[in-house]
Amino acid sequence: MQLDRRGLLLILSSPSGAGKSTLTRNLTTEDPGIRLSVSVTTRPRRQSEIEGVHYRFIEKDDFVAMRERGDLLEWAEVHGNFYGTPRKPVEQALTAGQDMMFDIDWQGTKQIVEKLRPDVASVFVLPPSMDELKARLERRAEDAPEAMARRLDNARDEIAQWGGYDYVIVNDDLERAYGQLKAILAAERVRRERQTGLDRFVDGLLGRPAQRFRAS
Ligand code: ADP
Ligand code: 5GP
């Protein structure tokens, strides 16, 4: 049974290479109830990336214009490029009771939490070791050598942000990490405050007249 509820904003952050895009992709592919927020970015497209699916790749002028119009829910400069979350799809999802997932950094997470705390569940993904993080970045082999070095340099500062998140997953074994992520989503979906249909349901359960429905 599915009661009415508000949508949930599930945020994943990690240092580059820890595996958050893999986890995000697995979850949004398997679970039709959660959609990925497609960010805009000024960074160059990687070979494996599809415009409008992984990101909307835009020029810096267009990014600045979006930001100035208030079209971005949050934005940040990461590894020398600009990234931002378009505001409208998030607002639409929340009111429609649709869940959304975000692959964004800690700066963006802070901004969304400030604006929409009750709707947010945040997850930080750690690599099992710095050697493995480096090995994953090298195996992915989709960034230029300078970009890869910059990402590794920034990893320590990003890892320092883990304390600001609701959940922390160490992505050693991918299946296990993915299982933990699914468990977080399942639990967050049944949080009492999020289930706006509970008052009505319980009144029905106890045979109370409908006019005694209390909005929460
Ligand atoms: P991020 O989005 O955090 O930068 P990715 O999801 O792109 O990281 O993962 C970086 C690389 O590591 C990819 O090649 C991915 O297939 C691989 N990877 C992800 N999780 C694991 C894991 N648990 N074990 C081994 N390799 C992994
Ligand atoms: P990448 O270039 O590897 O796709 O992403 C680099 C970093 O930018 C990652 O930490 C990713 O989570 C973050 N990022 C991607 N999109 C956004 C966004 O819209 N806002 C913010 N704040 N960070 C983002």
Side-chain angles (χ1 to χ4, degrees), residues 20 39 43 46 55 74 76 78-79 83-85 103-105 108 151:
K20 69 191 165 309
S39 297
R43 98 150 149 69
R46 293 185 184 131
Y55 283 106
E74 63 74 32
V78 190
H79 313 308
Y83 297 82
T85 300
D103 170 342
I104 62 175
D105 86 326
R151 280 160 188 267

Side-chain angles (χ1 to χ4, degrees), residues 14-22 103 132 136 139-140 171-174:
S14 80
S16 192
K20 69 191 165 309
S21 305
T22 308
D103 170 342
E132 174 62 14
R136 284 184 195 169
R139 243 179 285 140
R140 184 169 73 189
N171 180 19
D172 185 354
D173 175 70
L174 184 58

Side-chain angles (χ1 to χ4, degrees), residues 41 60 111 159 181:
T41 182
K60 183 148 179 222
Q111 295 168 51
I159 287 172
L181 182 62

Side-chain angles (χ1 to χ4, degrees), residues 10 12 23-24 27 101 123 169 176-186:
L10 182 66
L12 240 68
L23 289 164
T24 304
L27 193 59
M101 189 156 191
V123 182
I169 293 177
R176 197 167 54 88
Y178 183 49
Q180 290 172 340
L181 182 62
K182 284 198 289 190
I184 291 166
L185 177 59

Side-chain angles (χ1 to χ4, degrees), residues 58-67 69:
I58 62 175
E59 296 299 324
K60 183 148 179 222
D61 287 354
D62 297 327
F63 186 96
V64 171
M66 281 185 84
R67 195 177 65 193
R69 279 199 305 269

Side-chain angles (χ1 to χ4, degrees), residues 1-6 190-216:
M1 183 189 291
Q2 171 86 56
L3 302 181
D4 283 349
R5 65 174 177 85
R6 263 177 86 74
V190 292
R191 279 190 83 95
R192 176 173 48 78
E193 319 83 81
R194 212 154 266 145
Q195 298 200 73
T196 49
L198 270 179
D199 274 335
R200 187 187 296 275
F201 175 74
V202 173
D203 281 348
L205 193 66
L206 300 178
R208 290 176 188 152
Q211 62 266 30
R212 292 197 53 210
F213 163 69
R214 303 182 311 277
S216 48

